[in-house]
Amino acid sequence: MSDTILEARELTVRFGRKAAVHDVSVAFAKGETTVIAGSNGAGKSTLLRCLAGVIVPDQGEVALGPGLTRDKIGFISDRLSLYEDWTLQEAWRFHKNEFRIETREMPRIEGFELEAGRKIKSLSVGERTLLHLSLLLAQRPAVLLVDEVVHGLDPFLREKFLETVIEAMDELKTAVIMVNHTLSDTAQIPERVLIMDDGRFILDERREELERKVKKVSGEGDLPPDIPCLFATSTEFRRDRYIYPFREEWRRNSAVNFEGIGLDEIVKAFIGGAYVQKRVR
Amino acid sequence: MFKKEFANVLKQTGWFVAAALALPVALLVVRLIPRQPYFAVFLSVFQWGLLFWALFLGASVLARERSQQALEYALTLPYSRLGLLLRLTAPRLIVLGGLWALSLCAYVLKGNEYSAVNPLLLAFLYIGLFTTSLSLSPIIENFIALCLGSIFVWFLAFPAHTYLLIAVGWAKGFQLSGAGARGLGFLRDISYASAGYIFNLLIFQIVLLAFPFSAALILSFRKFDVRPSAAFAKKYFKTLGLSILIFAAAAFVMTFLSVSMRFRDVYLTPDHKVVEFHVGGARILSPEGIRKFKTPYPVSWVKSADGIHFVFSDYGNNLSCLDAAIAEVRTIYQAANRDRGIWQFWPYDGKVVFLVKPDTPIVISLANIDKPTSAGSNVTTIPFPAEWAQSEKFPRLFGTGVNDGRHFWLFYFEQSKKPPLRLWENGRVEGIPLSDNKPIRSALYVNDMVIIDTAEETKIFQDRGTSFELVREIKDGISFSLYDRDARVLDQPRAEVIYGKHGDKIAKLDLKALQVTDIAPLKTADGAWVTSFFPESFLLTEIDSEAKTLKVSSICDDKVKLLTEFRDFDFRRQGDRFNVQKSGIIIHRKGTVSVYAFPDLLEIKF
């Protein structure tokens, strides 16, 4: 990609003998929004930490695109790491000095106010998440890495968070790479979907392409044998089969009703399929 | 980051300083220690407490980040891993340096008064401990385990240095088997004598410890991340292993080069042969050629018995004699127990008196130079008085004699307030009554008189056979100094006069009238010695540090006559020294040895 801003090249990260990320290569473009999904332990957070520089890969490298420097990469981890005995004021002052931020006052998120004298350890998870976001956005990041924090926010803060992220994308053309399980609120945000399983990518598609290529067939009827079934669920009352990659001609040539589904359900199908594959192996 | 860290370290150090100030008060109030000035206790507490603080400062480098879950945040700050390490380490080094500087100031002001440890020596220990704990901090997350592990590793530097010295000794060809602990003591002694305490501390705290651990940390820290420390530890230990090998090799080379094998004891025989000793053996140089002798154990002390026989002790605790006339080495005495060292020995009149230590009581033994002995045979032993055995000062034998058929020996303890004593061969002890317990600078037994110099006065005691009677006190504020570099007065010579120093003058002590008469001024202030080969001759040696000269003059008939002047002799230069012997003068100058024979002081060359 000519406008690549961040690239992982043949990354391998091990925890003991197990490879959490195995020979992964992926490039991210400027201003692109990507969601990384996958089963638990797939290596998503490990990959994100490699991109953030928090983990040094055992093999491979993370290459910064032209003009990108480390101070322009913002990372919100699920651990919400900050010095806990600091007050908000102290945290802002430190962050401002280290990242040479010119703004005097910490950027505020509309509708979300915190006292400057409060200690970080006294903040709730949601408050810490938005504090992190405020600090990182003050850096005017070119890349924002977000690791599984959205699902822990209440609906109000989740909306505030996503609005702020979208504003950053619009104003700063920030590339956002988000690890997320639940995509019900964020389904329309990502342009690109990556799904990981067992340390590797099993899917890398544009969202629109993916929504076009994945269909669901509900009901008991048999499917023609040449239609690939990614994943199937079956209960007493319902049977669903997820088809990937879907071809339009099947709609014309068979009596099967192929439904379009949202990104949330698409991701669930892929993860389910991966679990099935593991059981078979 | 640097400012935050600096403020944090200063705040913690405040607690250390407060504890160092308060602890002496508690110790003195509760009387856990004897009464002494507060500053004396504080200085000790501060100096030794700083060892633990150095450990803490190194070990705490990542402690805050770990305990406050801030490590991920710290690793995303806009600098490299080494940049982060530098910002965390520099404040600690600055604070440690500042505390050390404080201890240095305190030492300079009052340290000698209170027997404090030289801060320069302690600095090496601080650096060693700090770098060890700093280096291990990324791989050991538990703080207590880290501190204990660091202390353990720090202590490993001591045996590491010992094994290094063993390797150097082996490379130099020393035989150490059987020498036991004394063999290791020899290695330390020779290394310290050759290169000094500072060099040796540099080797075992810096080259063997601080450098490899620092190198391992610096080279591997760029791989440090938030994974459990085991992942990083593998990379760290690989680098550490390699660093240790490289710096151990460097330490070996440095120590090997520093351990001097130069001939350090050089003698001129009456027939103008040159006898040289070094730690590994001896050689005799003559017009006929060179005859070498390899001693079974490293040589520790050498003394000339009569200019032909040279008695030497070794680290195998033997006493041996090199006979230059027949070019032969024979063992005079062999210790039965290798742990009993030859502590002091004095050859005279075909015999050698020696003290063996540790012995309770110390035994003074007498052996014949010409008759080889094994342990216990042909050796006369007399118990040394127990109260003198506890003295921390070296005893010096300054006179011998025979009275009513019984031998006696006269000892004094240099710079000690203990009075001199006479030890009879039947074990009886007789004190020489110095009434005021002033430290003795030198003592002489001549013409049945004991002459004692206590720096401010000179006292002369007549030997009455079973006691000593004070017959003269010279109390003009300046004593008549009998100190000479090689005491040769154990053969009970008789003389009419002896010459010595009287303040800044050469003076004569008339042994009949017991009067001191100044005969000539000493021209240089840097150092002057009178060497006596009485009753025949007295030599005056004077050094001038500015002009870098060594002058040798004879003193005879109350006149000082310049015999020769040696140029380019710098007493301040390491290794430059001289030795006046009965047959000539040995000059060590700029790493070379020159031998000049009496009477004309022509240089002996082979």
Side-chain angles (χ1 to χ4, degrees):
Chain A
M1 260 181 246
S2 59
D3 56 351
T4 299
I5 189 129
L6 190 64
E7 187 178 355
R9 296 172 183 162
E10 297 172 357
L11 288 189
T12 298
V13 178
R14 291 188 189 89
F15 284 80
R17 286 190 188 163
K18 181 177 170 3
V21 171
H22 188 88
D23 198 24
V24 161
S25 295
V26 61
F28 302 94
K30 276 184 202 165
E32 186 181 50
T33 314
T34 307
V35 69
I36 303 177
S39 54
N40 289 336
K44 310 181 295 295
S45 296
T46 304
L47 174 63
L48 216 66
R49 282 176 169 81
C50 277
L51 295 174
V54 169
I55 287 181
V56 177
D58 296 303
Q59 278 167 282
E61 60 168 349
V62 172
L64 306 186
L68 180 64
T69 49
R70 275 282 160 205
D71 60 331
K72 290 299 179 189
I73 299 177
F75 174 53
I76 310 177
S77 83
D78 54 345
R79 291 175 198 165
L80 298 171
S81 174
L82 268 179
Y83 289 92
E84 301 217 326
D85 63 351
W86 281 347
T87 63
L88 269 67
Q89 184 63 31
E90 284 168 344
W92 163 240
R93 204 179 304 135
F94 177 84
H95 198 85
K96 184 172 135 53
N97 286 336
E98 294 305 306
F99 286 90
R100 297 207 168 97
I101 298 168
E102 287 170 4
T103 323
R104 286 187 67 164
E105 297 291 328
M106 188 162 72
R108 295 182 192 288
I109 295 173
E110 198 187 317
F112 178 70
E113 299 287 334
L114 289 173
E115 285 172 37
R118 275 182 75 182
K119 292 240 185 219
I120 286 171
K121 61 186 169 197
S122 73
L123 300 177
S124 68
V125 168
E127 289 169 333
R128 280 175 77 149
T129 306
L130 286 185
L131 168 67
H132 258 269
L133 187 61
S134 302
L135 291 175
L136 295 179
L137 290 179
Q139 287 168 235
R140 303 181 71 78
V143 175
L144 185 63
L145 306 165
V146 182
D147 186 13
E148 293 190 72
V149 295
V150 178
H151 63 272
L153 301 175
D154 63 49
F156 173 74
L157 290 180
R158 194 181 310 148
E159 189 182 316
K160 284 289 161 207
F161 184 93
L162 293 172
E163 277 174 10
T164 311
V165 168
I166 292 168
E167 261 178 46
M169 284 159 53
D170 289 339
E171 186 193 334
L172 304 172
K173 307 290 180 235
T174 304
V176 176
I177 304 163
M178 198 185 306
V179 167
N180 221 357
H181 282 308
T182 313
L183 296 173
S184 50
D185 291 354
T186 57
Q188 298 307 311
I189 296 177
E191 299 160 283
R192 183 179 174 193
V193 178
L194 299 171
I195 298 182
M196 282 188 82
D197 182 59
D198 217 13
R200 293 177 169 86
F201 283 124
I202 58 173
L203 179 79
D204 180 357
E205 289 270 19
R206 312 299 300 172
R207 178 171 56 82
E208 294 91 355
E209 264 307 293
L210 195 59
E211 285 169 344
R212 195 181 60 74
K213 284 183 177 177
V214 180
K215 302 292 180 195
K216 183 172 76 173
V217 174
S218 302
E220 290 298 328
D222 288 333
L223 282 177
D226 59 336
I227 293 179
C229 177
L230 172 66
F231 178 59
T233 65
S234 181
T235 65
E236 191 181 343
F237 307 104
R238 190 184 175 89
R239 188 177 177 214
D240 292 321
R241 283 158 291 180
Y242 297 89
I243 311 302
Y244 173 81
F246 173 74
R247 298 218 292 259
E248 274 299 325
E249 65 213 47
W250 295 336
R251 207 193 288 276
R252 292 191 293 274
N253 299 339
S254 71
V256 178
N257 181 26
F258 295 97
E259 290 173 51
I261 53 174
L263 189 58
D264 200 21
E265 207 169 345
I266 290 172
V267 167
K268 191 174 73 176
F270 272 93
I271 294 174
Y275 275 120
V276 167
Q277 299 256 347
K278 277 192 201 137
R279 279 205 301 270
V280 166
R281 285 199 296 267
Chain B
M1 184 77 168
F2 175 84
K3 277 191 217 165
K4 167 196 84 70
E5 202 61 26
F6 193 62
N8 192 42
V9 172
L10 274 181
K11 202 161 73 170
Q12 290 173 330
T13 301
W15 289 106
F16 164 72
V17 173
L21 288 168
L23 185 59
V25 174
L27 291 173
L28 288 168
V29 162
V30 176
R31 299 209 180 160
L32 277 174
I33 54 174
R35 272 200 181 282
Q36 52 193 291
Y38 168 84
F39 193 82
V41 183
F42 166 75
L43 197 51
S44 285
V45 166
F46 190 77
Q47 283 195 314
W48 294 108
L50 199 46
L51 270 179
F52 293 98
W53 197 244
L55 169 74
F56 174 83
L57 285 177
S60 64
V61 72
L62 291 171
R64 201 153 164 261
E65 281 68 27
R66 282 180 170 138
S67 65
Q68 296 197 21
Q69 314 299 324
L71 190 56
E72 277 194 359
Y73 177 66
L75 292 175
T76 60
L77 292 171
Y79 17 82
S80 63
R81 291 290 197 269
L82 284 184
L84 176 66
L85 183 64
L86 183 66
R87 284 163 173 83
L88 292 172
T89 306
R92 287 166 164 76
L93 271 175
I94 291 170
V95 166
L96 187 60
L99 291 172
W100 176 80
L102 273 177
S103 79
L104 179 65
C105 291
Y107 177 82
V108 166
L109 285 172
K110 286 276 198 180
N112 276 327
E113 206 175 312
Y114 297 130
S115 303
V117 180
N118 187 330
L120 185 58
L121 302 180
L122 282 176
F124 289 105
L125 303 183
Y126 298 153
I127 293 171
L129 203 43
F130 175 77
T131 47
T132 307
S133 59
L134 178 77
S135 181
L136 293 174
S137 62
I139 63 164
I140 304 177
E141 293 180 32
N142 181 287
F143 191 73
I144 293 174
L146 172 58
C147 290
L148 291 174
S150 303
I151 293 171
F152 174 72
V153 167
W154 181 66
F155 270 112
L156 285 180
F158 292 85
H161 187 230
T162 301
Y163 281 115
L164 172 75
L165 292 176
I166 290 172
V168 169
W170 175 82
K172 293 272 185 191
F174 296 140
Q175 177 188 333
L176 295 175
S177 62
R182 293 208 70 221
L184 296 178
F186 149 72
L187 290 169
R188 273 198 302 274
D189 290 347
I190 191 176
S191 184
Y192 282 93
S194 299
Y197 275 90
I198 301 292
F199 176 83
N200 279 277
L201 271 174
L202 182 82
I203 290 291
F204 93 91
Q205 284 292 293
I206 306 298
V207 181
L208 285 178
L209 193 68
F211 280 174
F213 277 86
S214 299
L217 178 66
I218 291 168
L219 292 172
S220 60
F221 196 74
R222 55 198 175 90
K223 300 279 190 186
F224 176 73
D225 60 29
V226 294
R227 281 180 284 178
S229 54
F232 171 71
K234 212 166 146 185
K235 295 161 197 151
Y236 171 83
F237 281 118
K238 263 191 207 168
T239 320
L240 180 65
L242 192 61
S243 298
I244 286 174
L245 282 175
I246 291 171
F247 284 105
F252 175 84
V253 170
M254 287 168 73
T255 306
F256 185 91
L257 293 175
S258 76
V259 170
S260 172
M261 290 291 288
R262 280 198 295 265
F263 289 99
R264 60 167 198 223
D265 297 289
V266 181
Y267 299 94
L268 183 65
T269 65
D271 55 352
H272 291 183
K273 290 180 190 163
V274 175
V275 178
E276 297 175 321
F277 283 85
H278 65 75
V279 293
R283 66 179 186 179
I284 300 175
L285 289 85
S286 65
E288 291 76 43
I290 302 175
R291 182 75 191 271
K292 291 183 183 176
F293 303 87
K294 195 165 163 59
T295 53
Y297 293 101
V299 173
S300 108
W301 290 107
V302 184
K303 285 188 180 176
S304 169
D306 51 14
I308 299 167
H309 297 90
F310 301 91
V311 180
F312 60 94
S313 61
D314 63 33
Y315 279 81
N317 298 327
N318 303 302
L319 209 54
S320 306
C321 176
L322 167 62
D323 187 332
I326 57 174
E328 192 180 275
V329 173
R330 57 180 169 270
T331 303
I332 300 172
Y333 173 81
Q334 226 171 8
N337 186 330
R338 290 276 181 246
D339 288 334
R340 293 193 167 169
I342 306 293
W343 190 30
Q344 291 276 298
F345 66 92
W346 301 270
Y348 74 98
D349 196 26
K351 296 182 276 291
V352 58
V353 169
F354 57 99
L355 303 180
V356 177
K357 200 177 183 185
D359 256 327
T360 307
I362 294 174
V363 170
I364 156 181
S365 307
L366 191 66
N368 288 309
I369 288 174
D370 284 334
K371 288 182 188 165
T373 71
S374 57
S377 74
N378 226 1
V379 172
T380 308
T381 59
I382 301 117
F384 205 79
E387 59 270 30
W388 274 274
Q390 265 98 56
S391 172
E392 70 281 7
K393 307 288 183 188
F394 285 120
R396 275 189 179 270
L397 179 69
F398 70 91
T400 68
V402 178
N403 192 298
D404 279 346
R406 277 197 286 267
H407 282 93
F408 64 84
W409 299 272
L410 295 159
F411 290 93
Y412 77 93
F413 293 83
E414 202 171 359
Q415 293 299 331
S416 169
K417 291 179 184 175
K418 285 188 185 303
L421 60 89
R422 171 151 60 182
L423 179 64
W424 293 91
E425 68 175 273
N426 61 0
R428 188 166 77 87
V429 178
E430 193 182 315
I432 299 171
L434 283 183
S435 59
D436 45 12
N437 291 333
K438 287 186 181 150
I440 299 168
R441 201 160 65 170
S442 66
L444 177 67
Y445 184 67
V446 62
N447 290 12
D448 298 321
M449 288 186 293
V450 168
I451 304 171
I452 286 177
D453 158 27
T454 62
E456 291 163 8
E457 62 196 12
T458 303
K459 290 188 176 181
I460 303 174
F461 296 84
Q462 184 67 50
D463 182 3
R464 297 297 181 201
T466 54
S467 64
F468 290 89
E469 180 193 343
L470 179 66
V471 293
R472 183 84 165 94
E473 273 188 82
I474 303 167
K475 263 187 170 180
D476 56 2
I478 310 165
S479 70
F480 180 80
S481 168
L482 303 154
Y483 176 77
D484 67 18
R485 292 169 64 81
D486 289 285
R488 263 169 298 278
V489 292
L490 294 177
D491 294 335
Q492 211 184 3
R494 298 204 72 85
E496 289 183 12
V497 299
I498 52 174
Y499 293 97
K501 287 198 301 184
H502 187 222
D504 59 353
K505 295 187 177 51
I506 301 297
K508 172 180 77 176
L509 172 62
D510 186 319
L511 289 171
K512 277 190 184 156
L514 299 182
Q515 291 287 344
V516 173
T517 310
D518 293 338
I519 60 167
L522 276 170
K523 296 200 178 97
T524 63
D526 292 331
W529 296 267
V530 175
T531 309
S532 44
F533 299 100
F534 63 86
E536 313 93 69
S537 66
F538 295 83
L539 289 168
L540 170 68
T541 44
E542 298 169 277
I543 55 171
D544 185 333
S545 302
E546 283 300 313
K548 294 187 186 173
T549 57
L550 167 67
K551 287 183 187 169
V552 182
S553 309
S554 69
I555 309 173
C556 188
D557 295 333
D558 298 356
K559 290 188 179 60
V560 177
K561 182 185 164 197
L562 178 68
L563 294 177
T564 192
E565 184 175 319
F566 299 99
R567 295 188 180 279
D568 200 18
F569 180 85
D570 190 351
F571 207 58
R572 292 170 297 193
R573 183 166 49 209
Q574 193 181 355
D576 278 22
R577 54 193 166 88
F578 68 95
N579 183 248
V580 178
Q581 301 169 10
K582 199 163 183 179
S583 303
I585 300 175
I586 315 294
I587 306 280
H588 298 252
R589 181 172 36 186
K590 282 200 218 172
T592 60
V593 179
S594 308
V595 180
Y596 301 87
F598 287 124
D600 301 320
L601 289 177
L602 295 174
E603 189 174 355
I604 303 283
K605 284 184 181 178
F606 297 109

